[in-house]
Amino acid sequence: MRKRRVNMLVCAGVCAVLLCGGLSGCGSAEADDEMNQERDEATEKTLEEAADVQESVDNMSEKSGDSDGESEAGQEDASAETSIDEPVSLEGLGISILGDSISTYDGWIPEGFNVFYPFDGELTDVSQTWWKSLVEETGMELCANNSSSGSTCSGDSLSIDDPMFGCSDGRLSFLVGSQGRLPDVIVIYMGTNDLLKGVPIGDNDGTKLVEEGDVENFSDAYCLMLDKLASYYPTAQIFCCTLTPIGDWGTDQPFVIFENHLGLTAEDYSDQIRVIADSKGAAVIDLYHCGITIDNLAEMTTDGVHLTLVGMERVKEKVLVALQDTL
């Protein structure tokens, strides 16, 4: 629009010069020649000025175009920088659980394993467990739930048919799906019974070799368990859950922090899980800080250990975030 207006002004100037020349054509030949010369000079000058103006307008248009391009590019960059990443989709991934009573449910664990839920807890449907809720929400495929009530990580690592020992060959072989599918993800949520039964923690930080047989301390058993899982399921990403706070019946309040006969708490075993997992390259799911505390343990558990529906939801949320952040 600006360029068109300039062109109109230029044309008007040229026409004005020509018009003036035409109206003053009534005189002598000498005067006419002189006027014609002045008219030609005026016309030439006007055309030169118009060319200068046009060049200036073109330059301004180019700069404006560059500015618009830079502005659009800047807006695109800003838009890209402010965009929020979508949560990672877990749909279709195969998941297996290695757990104790907190992860059991009748009909969903191997035959002969010990069941806790729903008979001894407040849950009434499998979808209320942390692991089944996770599977339903994400679209993951449950390969196997290898959980047994009362089981510890420590014990006879060569056992084939006793579900009580998490580091045993028998327990670790039950993580394959019914159609032979190997899990993409293995979540280990064990150690609570090692705490409750007073199994010594030990000092293995994940760098010491462990001999097969009767593994008597928690650290050695946990290390052996991770080494076997890495060997049996080399393509699976392993996640190690720390323990939620475990409570004992109190006097002035429902629960106080539980200490076993060695003076150890859930925090002590959780710290050791974190050290070993970091050493072995496994991911850590920090359930000790999932929102379950000694102050709300009466709401989150039925007995200081086993989770209520609300407690299950807290655990599920923590596991979900960890999977999305890691995978």
Side-chain angles (χ1 to χ4, degrees), residues 16-62:
V17 173
L18 294 175
L19 181 59
C20 290
L23 291 175
S24 56
C26 302
S28 64
E30 182 178 352
D32 288 343
D33 291 340
E34 184 177 348
M35 291 182 65
N36 289 337
Q37 184 177 355
E38 291 176 355
R39 182 193 62 194
D40 293 341
E41 291 176 354
T43 300
E44 184 178 353
K45 181 178 180 181
T46 301
L47 292 173
E48 291 176 352
E49 291 175 349
D52 292 338
V53 171
Q54 187 65 55
E55 182 178 358
S56 176
V57 171
D58 292 341
N59 290 337
M60 292 176 63
S61 297
E62 291 176 0

Side-chain angles (χ1 to χ4, degrees), residues 135-155:
V135 168
E136 291 179 351
E137 182 173 332
T138 60
M140 300 180 79
E141 179 183 328
L142 181 65
C143 291
N145 183 349
N146 183 348
S147 300
S148 187
S149 182
S151 59
T152 59
C153 295
S154 56

